[in-house]
Amino acid sequence: MIWLIGHKGMLGSELARLFDQKNLEWRGSDREVSITTGKDSLFAFGRTLGPVAFIVNCAAYTAVDKAEDDAEACKRLNTLGAANVADTATALGAVLIQLSTDYVFDGKGIKEGNGVARPYREDDSTGPAGVYGLTKRDGETEVLARCKDSYIIRTAWLYGEHGNNFVATMLRLMNERKTVSVVDDQKGTPTNAGDLAAAIAALIEQRNAGKNIPCGIYHYTNEGAISWYDFARAIYAGGRGTGLLAGECFIKPCTTDAYPTRARRPAYSVLDKSKIKAALGIAIPRWDESLASYLQKLK
């Protein structure tokens, strides 16, 4: 049985839907039990679910800017909460799948001989630039130390049908305004929550089938590398094509300096997916293909 923590969030909702489709037995928790109150209450709740084979922890503090002024609350959920879940997984004899983020890196990129940044690999040194990234990196450290049978999946630029995300924000703004400015000097890769959910389900199914998948850190986003501006232009084109956008809107590129935020965003956050593709034997969709499918579904 799968215990899905944070089953009402963006990724959790996609996982719940997919588990149902695949007839995978699961139970969810959201406000029923807090991951921040200690491992004892988590363990007690987990025991009520029956034998737990997997725990997928989607719970996280993700308000990146707010975290700069609310560091303790962010740490409680992303670091201490992750530690509690890891202890609980170990006590229950369950495999833990913990979600993490590209923000664990400094966002400056790692330059190769030609001076061009290459995608971050799982074993590259971390160096979070803000509170959110720091608490998620520390959460990774706690999970790996406390639960030997654990997987950490880092992702980036996540969007889906549930919860706030860039695609939903852009569609709303493009329907409200004639011009929208979007930063063009931050590079990464969008991730469709449904695609990430499929990869997590594949990991669970393959482990259930007895496949030896080494524990540790993995990266998952869609394929490709673009700027937020490129992403916004594709959302606009797809929104117009599907009728989700009623009128015209000019997408204007701008620099990060022209759009100041409380927390510094990574200038480069492209993640290398070679490890997870080899481990699971999966193909990962391109970002533009997944976006087109998502917008069609919204229509």
Side-chain angles (χ1 to χ4, degrees):
M1 195 267 290
I2 305 163
W3 179 5
L4 180 54
I5 299 176
H7 71 291
K8 295 182 179 178
M10 186 189 306
L11 178 60
S13 297
E14 290 290 344
L15 283 167
R17 178 188 59 79
L18 191 57
F19 291 163
D20 284 340
Q21 286 183 356
K22 291 177 171 290
N23 293 317
L24 294 172
E25 183 183 5
W26 69 278
R27 298 290 185 275
S29 65
D30 187 67
R31 298 183 182 276
E32 293 85 353
V33 60
S34 173
I35 68 172
T36 65
T37 54
K39 60 183 179 181
D40 291 341
S41 60
L42 272 175
F43 178 71
F45 183 85
R47 288 288 298 272
T48 69
L49 302 177
V52 177
F54 294 89
I55 299 177
V56 184
N57 183 24
C58 298
Y61 188 113
T62 58
V64 177
D65 290 320
K66 186 179 178 182
E68 295 299 309
D69 301 307
D70 198 13
E72 283 305 312
C74 189
K75 180 179 179 180
R76 280 197 301 274
L77 195 55
N78 291 348
T79 303
L80 302 181
N84 289 334
V85 173
D87 283 340
T88 302
T90 297
L92 293 173
V95 176
L96 173 59
I97 301 174
Q98 170 75 29
L99 276 299
S100 193
T101 174
D102 59 304
Y103 274 70
V104 301
F105 296 113
D106 62 13
K108 297 178 181 178
I110 296 175
K111 307 296 193 299
E112 296 194 314
N114 57 6
V116 177
R118 63 159 173 79
Y120 283 109
R121 299 172 187 141
E122 288 83 353
D123 57 355
D124 285 330
S125 297
T126 57
V131 170
Y132 168 67
L134 178 64
T135 60
K136 290 296 286 183
R137 192 278 308 275
D138 290 349
E140 292 184 359
T141 302
E142 293 288 349
V143 166
L144 294 174
R146 293 168 182 265
C147 184
K148 302 305 180 185
D149 206 358
S150 60
Y151 299 90
I152 291 169
I153 302 180
R154 295 172 180 154
T155 190
W157 295 24
L158 193 66
Y159 68 91
E161 293 183 51
H162 306 273
N164 295 325
N165 61 83
F166 185 77
V167 178
T169 298
M170 285 296 104
L171 289 173
R172 175 177 59 80
L173 291 178
M174 290 171 186
N175 268 320
E176 295 174 351
R177 304 178 183 179
K178 295 297 184 182
T179 301
V180 174
S181 296
V182 183
V183 293
D184 195 25
D185 55 0
Q186 296 174 19
K187 191 173 185 179
T189 311
T191 308
N192 186 310
D195 293 338
L196 176 55
I200 293 171
L203 170 57
I204 292 172
E205 289 179 317
Q206 291 183 30
R207 275 287 305 238
N208 275 337
K211 183 176 181 179
N212 179 25
I213 303 170
C215 293
I217 302 173
Y218 291 83
H219 290 167
Y220 187 96
T221 65
N222 284 120
E223 295 282 21
I226 57 171
S227 71
W228 287 109
Y229 170 68
D230 297 326
F231 194 20
R233 290 185 64 193
I235 294 167
Y236 176 71
R240 291 283 286 172
T242 55
L244 292 170
L245 296 175
E248 294 185 355
C249 179
F250 176 65
I251 316 301
K252 179 181 178 182
C254 68
T255 64
T256 298
D257 291 340
Y259 188 69
T261 55
R262 183 71 179 86
R264 183 170 71 82
R265 267 52 174 179
Y268 184 89
S269 62
V270 182
L271 302 179
D272 188 298
K273 280 83 65 178
S274 302
K275 184 178 177 182
I276 199 167
K277 287 190 288 188
L280 300 181
I282 59 173
I284 299 178
R286 278 186 51 83
W287 71 268
D288 50 348
E289 295 169 351
S290 285
L291 175 64
S293 297
Y294 174 75
L295 294 175
Q296 193 64 41
K297 184 185 295 184
L298 288 184
K299 176 185 176 183

